[in-house]
Amino acid sequence: MKHASLKMLAGAALALMLASTPALASDNSSSDQQKAAPLYPNATRKEPKLDLTDKKEQEALNKGLDAAQANNKDQATQLLQPLVDSSKSKYVQAMALQGLARVHATNNDMPGGIDLLKRSLDNGVMPNDAYFQLEYELATFYLLNQQYQPAIDQVEKWRAEGKKETPESYALEGEAYYRMQKYPESIAAIKKAQSMTDKPDPRWNQLLMLAYNDSGQKDKAADVAKQQVAAAPTDPTSFHNALSLDIQMQKYDDALKLMEDGKAKGLLSTESDYVTMAKLYMNKAQDQATQDPGPDTEKATQVLQEGMTKGIVKPSAENYVLMGDASMIGGNADAAAAQYKKAVPLASDGEAAYKAGVALVTQNEYSAAKPLLQQAISKGVKHKGKAYMALAQANVGLKDKAAAAEAVMEAEKDPETASQAKKWLKEANIGG
C-alpha cells in the first residue's frame, strides 16, 4: 500500500504544481493585469522596477514561455536560452530561467530545474506574484527531488515572506515530514491543511492514514480509511486502503464484510481481489470449528470461479490448488480432488498431484490416487516423507503389502516421518 500510495501522491504533486502555478509569466502588462488584485498583498518583499524595454525580446520571451508551457523542450530551449545568456534585462533573464526550469522538471530533470529556479529567484527582478509563485514552485521541486528538509524550509520561507498561508502548502509540508518519517509533524501539518478548507483534497486523507499507520496508530489509520470509504463508497483506492488495514490488524470479519460490499459495488477488479476474498472465506470457515464450514468454503470456490469466468482470475495451478484447499476445508474431498487434478498439468512441482492423491485416498479411491502420488514424488514435493506415507496407504488399500512396505521404508528416510514409518514397519513386522 504504502509504496503505491506514495508513488501516486508524488506523481500527482508535479501535475498539481504545474496546474496550480499560473501560466508561465506573460510579459504583456495589459490594463487587465494591472487591475488584477495582487496574490500577495501583505508580502514583505518590495517589488522591483521591471526593466523590460526591448519589444523583440518580449515577443521571444512570450513564445518561449508558451513553448515551455506546452512542454516543447527544443523550441523552448531555442528561444529562452539566448535570452538567459545575452539579455540585458534581468526581468527577461529571470522569466526565461523560470521557463527553462519548467521544461527540465517536466522532463524528469529535477536537479536541473531546481538550479534554474534558484538562479531565477536570485536574479530577483520580477513582480511579487511571479516571485512568490516561483518560491512555492521551488519547494515542490525539492519535494519531488526527495530533498525533504529543503522543501519544508522553502515553503516556510514562502509563508514568512509572502505573508500567505494555503492548505496546499501545509499538505506539501505534511508529505515532506512523512517521507522523513517524522510522523507527528506530518499528522499535524496534514490536519492543519484539512482544517483550512471545506473541500480538502482526498489525497490528504490518504497521506494522513499512511502517517497514522506507519507510526503504529493503526486504529486511527483504520478510522481514516473507513471515513474515506464512507465519503467515497465507490472509490477503489479508498476501498483497498481500508481492506489492507483490516487485514493488517487481523480484523478478518470486517475485511470480509468490506469485500462483500465492495463486490456488490463492482470494486473487485484484480486477481488479487478475488484471491483475497476467497482466502477470507476460507479463514472464516476454519475459525468455525463447531459449525459447518461448507457454506463459506463453497463461497470461496464460487468467488474464484466467478473471477475465472470474467477472465480476471487466471486458471493457474495456484488458483486451482486454492479451490481444492477450500473444498478440503469444507469436507468435500471429491470436489477437492477434481480441482487439484486441474492443477496437476499446470504445476511446476508435485504439490498439486500430492494433494489430489491424498484427497482420493481419503475417499478410498486408491487406484486413482496411486499414480498421482507417484507423479508427485517424481516431480518433487515439500514433504517427501508424507507423500510416501500417502502412497503406502494407497498400496495398502490396493492390498499390495510389498509396495506399501517399500513406500514406508522411503518415508523412514525423511526425519519428518521417520518415527511414524518405524512404528508402521514394527507393527507390520517388517525390518528392525
Side-chain angles (χ1 to χ4, degrees):
M1 176 182 69
K2 174 178 175 179
H3 296 298
S5 299
L6 283 175
K7 182 178 180 182
M8 184 274 297
L9 286 167
L14 179 57
L16 284 171
M17 177 274 295
L18 294 177
S20 62
T21 301
L24 289 169
S26 172
D27 303 292
N28 300 322
S29 296
S30 69
S31 58
D32 288 343
Q33 288 175 318
Q34 291 172 348
K35 291 178 183 177
L39 297 174
Y40 299 85
N42 302 314
T44 60
R45 176 181 182 262
K46 183 178 179 181
E47 291 207 60
K49 182 179 180 181
L50 305 186
D51 59 357
L52 176 60
T53 57
D54 189 321
K55 186 174 182 180
K56 287 185 178 180
E57 280 193 350
Q58 177 177 314
E59 291 175 355
L61 179 59
N62 287 339
K63 288 181 181 178
L65 294 177
D66 287 343
Q69 190 78 20
N71 195 24
N72 188 331
K73 181 178 181 181
D74 292 339
Q75 186 180 6
T77 303
Q78 183 180 1
L79 290 165
L80 296 176
Q81 190 62 53
L83 297 176
V84 172
D85 295 337
S86 60
S87 176
K88 293 180 181 180
S89 167
K90 284 192 172 184
Y91 177 64
V92 169
Q93 289 177 346
M95 303 317 296
L97 284 164
Q98 179 199 10
L100 291 173
R102 182 75 66 92
V103 169
H104 279 264
T106 51
N107 285 278
N108 298 315
D109 178 14
M110 296 309 304
I114 288 169
D115 179 65
L116 290 166
L117 267 189
K118 289 171 70 175
R119 287 173 59 190
S120 180
L121 288 164
D122 289 344
N123 179 298
V125 181
M126 64 185 81
N128 274 356
D129 284 358
Y131 179 86
F132 287 112
Q133 288 302 99
L134 262 66
E135 274 208 329
Y136 188 85
E137 192 167 308
L138 179 58
T140 309
F141 279 26
Y142 278 134
L143 177 68
L144 295 174
N145 200 44
Q146 301 179 21
Q147 293 176 258
Y148 304 125
Q149 190 59 56
I152 293 168
D153 294 342
Q154 182 62 38
V155 83
E156 289 179 347
K157 180 174 181 288
W158 171 82
R159 286 199 205 102
E161 294 179 354
K163 297 300 180 184
K164 186 165 186 173
E165 292 191 344
T166 64
E168 290 79 11
S169 71
Y170 284 101
L172 185 153
E173 196 172 324
E175 182 171 351
Y177 277 126
Y178 174 80
R179 300 295 190 96
M180 297 169 69
Q181 299 181 11
K182 293 186 176 182
Y183 302 122
E185 293 89 343
S186 176
I187 291 166
I190 300 161
K191 293 179 79 170
K192 172 75 171 178
Q194 291 175 322
S195 72
M196 294 175 69
T197 175
D198 58 356
K199 293 183 179 179
D201 191 314
R203 280 175 295 244
W204 302 347
N205 236 4
Q206 185 175 348
L207 190 56
L208 181 62
M209 179 194 65
L210 291 170
Y212 276 134
N213 182 62
D214 292 0
S215 63
Q217 301 179 75
K218 294 188 181 297
D219 286 342
K220 289 185 176 180
D223 288 342
V224 174
K226 285 178 172 58
Q227 290 169 17
Q228 281 188 298
V229 171
T234 59
D235 176 53
T237 300
S238 300
F239 165 72
H240 285 103
N241 284 341
L243 176 64
S244 178
L245 281 165
D246 278 341
I247 291 173
Q248 281 185 44
M249 298 171 69
Q250 299 182 10
K251 293 183 176 181
Y252 300 126
D253 288 344
D254 290 350
L256 183 55
K257 184 179 185 304
L258 183 65
M259 289 215 81
E260 289 175 336
D261 291 343
K263 184 172 179 289
K265 294 168 184 170
L267 294 177
L268 272 63
S269 59
T270 68
E271 181 175 51
S272 177
D273 289 338
Y274 283 88
V275 169
T276 297
M277 191 171 188
K279 288 181 178 179
L280 287 169
Y281 276 126
M282 291 165 66
N283 182 76
K284 184 180 178 184
Q286 288 175 302
D287 281 348
Q288 296 175 171
T290 59
Q291 299 180 24
D292 179 12
D296 285 314
T297 55
E298 285 179 15
K299 289 178 182 177
T301 56
Q302 287 168 2
V303 163
L304 290 169
Q305 189 58 60
E306 178 183 328
M308 287 184 183
T309 301
K310 291 181 176 180
I312 298 172
V313 176
K314 296 187 294 291
S316 64
E318 293 78 11
N319 290 328
Y320 281 127
V321 165
L322 188 59
M323 293 171 78
D325 289 346
S327 294
M328 284 297 285
I329 293 169
N332 191 341
D334 283 339
Q339 297 297 344
Y340 290 141
K341 284 194 281 188
K342 291 178 185 177
V344 170
L346 304 173
S348 60
D349 57 24
E351 291 299 321
Y354 165 65
K355 290 191 171 193
V358 169
L360 290 167
V361 165
T362 63
Q363 297 302 102
N364 301 326
E365 297 182 32
Y366 306 119
S367 296
K370 181 172 181 175
L372 283 165
L373 292 166
Q374 289 172 325
Q375 180 182 346
I377 292 166
S378 66
K379 288 183 72 174
V381 290
K382 295 175 184 176
H383 303 282
K384 196 171 184 178
K386 288 185 176 181
Y388 273 115
M389 290 302 295
L391 178 60
Q393 282 184 274
N395 283 321
V396 168
L398 293 170
K399 303 187 185 309
D400 189 341
K401 293 183 179 180
E406 184 180 347
V408 174
M409 284 189 281
E410 290 295 329
E412 188 181 15
K413 298 175 184 178
D414 187 336
E416 186 178 16
T417 51
S419 176
Q420 180 186 2
K422 285 178 181 178
K423 182 180 178 182
W424 190 95
L425 291 169
K426 183 177 181 180
E427 290 174 353
N429 294 319
I430 297 173

